[in-house]
Amino acid sequence: MPVVSVIIPAFRAQATIARAIRSVLDQSIDDWEAIVEADDEIDYATALKHAGVNDSRIRFMSNGRVGSGCHHARNFGLASARGDFIAALDADDLFLPTRLATLLPLASKEGASADNRRVVDDVTGHEICLAFGEDLAQRPLSLQVCSMCLFLYSRWSPANMPSRA
């Protein structure tokens, strides 16, 4: 079983999914699985194969819906996750190479860990802003982790997991 399951909801993501997956492949730790959860009728396995991306740690799922929303797709991916920890990655985003290795020890100790997402111009590579201001440490935990896309957290118990049925 992998230590980390990276859940990637995908909706009309043909142009960006390969970049997102490559950022997972480039992680400094290898003990992960990536679950691409299609929220459309796209065959992302074929799309990635055509982009030269192929790895046995990548699994492809479909929630059987079209445009149900990233949270719905993410919940279906979560139900299939095998890792002890969950990380969310949107299909149009990417991880820096040491993201999982940095967050995993903190999440192991505390149950969850968060980072401050940088918003970067795709063309120039320049940082536009941080998702949260400099006062992040002063905010209550419930506000710090308001977006699943920002953190790594320990799995919920199977009894609380959504059903794939």
Side-chain angles (χ1 to χ4, degrees):
M1 295 296 172
V3 172
V4 180
S5 293
V6 179
I7 304 195
I8 307 168
F11 177 75
R12 297 182 183 165
Q14 303 93 309
T16 59
I17 191 73
R19 181 182 72 167
I21 290 290
R22 282 188 183 108
S23 79
V24 178
L25 290 167
D26 290 342
Q27 288 301 294
S28 60
I29 65 169
D30 293 328
D31 199 2
W32 54 262
E33 70 173 347
I35 301 169
V36 177
E37 183 71 38
D39 191 33
D40 52 21
E41 296 175 342
I42 305 299
D43 177 359
Y44 288 103
T46 299
L48 286 169
K49 184 177 180 181
H50 288 303
V53 177
N54 186 25
D55 192 291
S56 63
R57 296 171 293 177
I58 304 168
R59 294 192 297 135
F60 299 92
M61 314 294 285
S62 176
N63 62 28
R65 298 185 182 182
V66 175
S68 65
C70 66
H71 292 70
H72 185 263
R74 194 173 283 120
N75 282 339
F76 269 86
L78 186 60
S80 301
R82 298 178 295 202
D84 294 326
F85 292 87
I86 305 298
L89 174 63
D90 288 343
D92 62 346
D93 291 336
L94 56 93
F95 286 166
L96 292 176
T98 60
R99 183 174 193 266
L100 295 179
T102 300
L103 293 178
L104 189 56
L106 299 169
S108 295
K109 180 180 176 188
E110 302 294 335
S113 58
D115 56 2
N116 198 357
R117 184 179 193 135
R118 293 182 324 138
V119 179
V120 177
D121 183 306
D122 276 342
V123 175
T124 66
H126 292 108
E127 183 177 296
I128 297 169
C129 66
L130 295 175
F132 295 108
E134 296 299 320
D135 66 338
L136 179 65
Q138 306 303 316
R139 296 181 186 186
L141 183 60
S142 61
L143 294 178
Q144 287 183 21
V145 293
C146 64
S147 170
M148 285 187 63
C149 299
L150 298 177
F151 63 94
L152 182 78
Y153 59 94
S154 181
R155 275 182 70 98
W156 297 323
S157 71
N160 295 330
M161 300 300 286
S163 169
R164 288 201 63 86

